[in-house]
Amino acid sequence: MIEEFANYDANPQYHDMFVHDGVADDIRSASRSLSSKRSLEIPDSLYEISLANPSVEQLQKLVNKFRTAGINLPCVYPYFSPHDETSFKTDVMKQILEIE
């Protein structure tokens, strides 16, 4: 999750968005802790915009938060490991589609 944020942050348009949203410093800090050998700490601010391995309830809460903010087509973008089985990926997608 942190690697993805750091990769996006390297793009000037995304970086500007992260600055506007007030999370650019948190991304930089989390990225530094990822590259060092110290304990990884993911700032709460990043969980406000992205979830890592959420429960169904956590995902529903975040989707509802976006809908309340006026986003009528929130996009759920799951990340999968290259080693994940197709059946696992399919099951996750089915579970996401069942959320109302």
Side-chain angles (χ1 to χ4, degrees):
M1 176 177 157
I2 297 303
E3 288 174 346
E4 287 295 319
F5 271 116
N7 289 337
Y8 278 105
D9 191 49
N11 178 304
Q13 292 86 355
Y14 278 100
H15 176 74
D16 290 347
M17 180 185 68
F18 292 146
V19 168
H20 181 267
D21 290 344
V23 297
D25 290 338
D26 289 342
I27 291 169
R28 188 172 23 261
S29 174
S31 183
R32 281 189 208 128
S33 73
L34 182 65
S35 61
S36 71
K37 298 302 178 196
R38 60 186 181 161
S39 174
L40 175 64
E41 294 181 22
I42 299 175
D44 289 339
S45 64
L46 299 184
Y47 283 119
E48 292 291 317
I49 56 178
S50 182
L51 299 174
N53 299 318
S55 67
V56 171
E57 292 79 21
Q58 290 171 315
L59 179 59
Q60 182 65 55
K61 184 177 177 182
L62 185 60
V63 168
N64 286 339
K65 182 178 174 182
F66 283 116
R67 286 184 174 146
T68 300
I71 298 170
N72 59 12
L73 185 60
C75 296
V76 177
Y77 184 80
Y79 294 95
F80 295 108
S81 163
H83 307 292
D84 288 337
E85 297 289 328
T86 301
S87 61
F88 170 74
K89 294 175 186 178
T90 303
D91 288 345
V92 168
M93 293 305 295
K94 285 179 182 176
Q95 189 176 21
I96 290 170
L97 290 171
E98 291 174 1
I99 296 175
E100 296 182 8

